[in-house]
Amino acid sequence: MSMTLAEIRLKQNPILTSMLLGMGTGARIAEKLFPRLPQVLSNANIAKLGKEHMRQHNLRRSPGGETKMINIKYENVVYTVDQYAVDVPLPREWFREADEARRLNVGMHLELSAIGMNTAKYVLDLGYEIEVAAMAIDPANYAVGNSLALAAGTKWSAATGTPVTDIRTAAEIIRKKAGVRPNTLTLSPDAFLAASMNPEVKGYLPNTTTGPATIEQLKTIFNVKNIEIGDAIWVDENDVGQDVWGNAAILAYVPTIKSGAVTDFSLAEPAFGFTNVIEGHPFAETPYYKDSRKSWIYGATFERRPNTATPEAGFLFLNPK
């Protein structure tokens, strides 16, 4: 069961929560593609605008004549969140050794609260990253015609691959369907490597450039404002690292959602997706001591759910390498 904002503030540790919210997440890019949409309740009603505002209307009127009234349709969409929580045990022996290190003025002593919160945040963020990536590389989450599986000579890693043509063509598909030009290109490491080394891409670079294209150069070549590289990995049961973002590229329109702007936000802006997040999350639970583990327990909770909003505002490339 989810908690109200008041209950969250009663149960959380404000100092550790500040630490949790402030820690970096490295190569995590889920929020770059599905920006946070804060909400207070576990279920939020958001008005989703239809396409009537994009149609051509005869608005000419004669003096004294009736003003054209168009029929705007809103779909009342209910967005819910799921709760994710993790506990990190820190053995009491660690605290004893850390206290002794401080007493002896040892410079490299352990900051145990930071270890607990950093571990909790890493686990929660990785689960979130994996969930968003799985949604983003699933063709079922895109409009018909907004995905392309590359193969053989069309792969960007092939000498005959054409990532510049592919991405600029996809941008026009998004613009004509959603009414916005995409502003974000999300690349898995494989996709980034393939695109940066591709002959068509390098043909746009100055003759003096000998290495692969940089991210800044790709922004200009692809005519996209933001490029995000999904470097996150997860480790399988054989301790082998796997790319969270697989072998894919996602071109999308991502709106800027200001912190606390939930009351002003509607789905009239055709975001490919966003993440509903309970205000104040993730938050740190107040640590407690557990006798059976002889450990202090540091917990953290994250209530959120990523959602696709406008399938026409994204385009998926599979297997670019």
Side-chain angles (χ1 to χ4, degrees):
M1 180 181 296
S2 60
M3 293 185 293
T4 66
L5 186 59
E7 289 174 326
I8 289 172
R9 288 171 175 162
L10 284 173
K11 295 179 183 293
Q12 72 179 354
N13 183 297
I15 296 176
L16 294 182
T17 294
S18 296
M19 182 184 296
L20 189 69
L21 292 171
M23 286 179 173
T25 55
R28 309 296 167 79
I29 62 169
E31 290 184 24
K32 303 292 186 179
L33 183 61
F34 282 36
R36 288 189 180 204
L37 181 61
Q39 63 189 58
V40 176
L41 302 177
S42 297
N43 298 291
N45 296 319
I46 302 179
K48 184 173 182 179
L49 184 64
K51 293 187 176 181
E52 287 75 13
H53 66 295
M54 299 174 66
R55 304 192 191 283
Q56 183 178 17
H57 299 279
N58 182 7
L59 304 179
R60 181 178 294 178
R61 63 180 291 273
S62 59
E66 291 285 344
T67 299
K68 173 71 174 181
M69 181 176 294
I70 61 175
N71 182 25
I72 296 294
K73 297 179 181 178
Y74 285 92
E75 178 185 355
N76 189 36
V77 183
V78 178
Y79 290 98
T80 62
V81 295
D82 302 310
Q83 183 177 123
Y84 299 83
V86 63
D87 282 339
V88 179
L90 299 182
R92 67 184 181 186
E93 291 83 1
W94 290 10
F95 288 88
R96 181 180 62 209
E97 293 170 6
D99 288 342
E100 182 66 9
R102 290 189 181 91
R103 188 183 71 80
L104 297 175
N105 195 28
V106 177
M108 296 302 291
H109 63 266
L110 297 174
E111 291 293 348
L112 294 179
S113 292
I115 290 174
M117 288 299 93
N118 198 20
T119 303
K121 181 172 178 60
Y122 190 95
V123 172
L124 288 173
D125 280 353
L126 180 59
Y128 170 47
E129 188 86 0
I130 291 172
E131 184 178 2
V132 170
M135 295 177 64
I137 63 178
D138 183 354
N141 290 320
Y142 294 79
V144 175
N146 280 47
S147 63
L148 177 64
L150 301 169
T154 66
K155 288 177 175 283
W156 298 347
S157 56
T160 52
T162 57
V164 181
T165 302
D166 293 343
I167 289 173
R168 286 180 174 263
T169 299
E172 284 303 299
I173 291 174
I174 292 173
R175 184 184 66 82
K176 290 180 179 180
K177 288 184 177 181
V180 290
R181 185 170 293 279
N183 58 4
T184 300
L185 177 64
T186 300
L187 299 171
S188 70
D190 281 346
F192 175 52
L193 178 63
S196 63
M197 297 290 288
N198 178 268
E200 185 190 34
V201 168
K202 297 188 75 172
Y204 285 85
L205 299 177
N207 293 332
T208 55
T209 302
T210 58
T214 66
I215 292 177
E216 291 304 314
Q217 288 171 331
L218 289 177
K219 289 179 182 179
T220 300
I221 294 170
F222 294 147
N223 191 30
V224 63
K225 181 179 179 181
N226 306 306
I227 293 181
E228 307 293 342
I229 313 299
D231 283 331
I233 65 166
W234 64 277
V235 177
D236 64 19
E237 61 275 6
N238 296 316
D239 289 338
V240 177
Q242 307 287 341
D243 280 322
V244 170
W245 291 87
N247 181 10
I250 301 99
L251 184 66
Y253 177 75
V254 179
T256 299
I257 302 177
K258 296 180 181 179
S259 177
V262 63
T263 55
D264 298 327
F265 183 78
S266 78
L267 298 188
E269 189 173 9
F272 172 61
F274 56 87
T275 302
N276 291 86
V277 179
I278 293 292
E279 185 180 343
H281 278 236
F283 77 90
E285 309 279 356
T286 298
Y288 67 94
Y289 186 77
K290 188 171 184 178
D291 286 324
S292 62
R293 296 292 298 269
K294 301 295 188 289
S295 300
W296 283 92
I297 309 300
Y298 283 72
T301 300
F302 194 4
E303 288 194 59
R304 46 78 180 168
R305 181 185 288 183
N307 296 280
T308 54
T310 308
E312 296 86 354
F315 194 102
L316 171 66
F317 297 95
L318 288 172
N319 306 318
K321 180 182 176 184

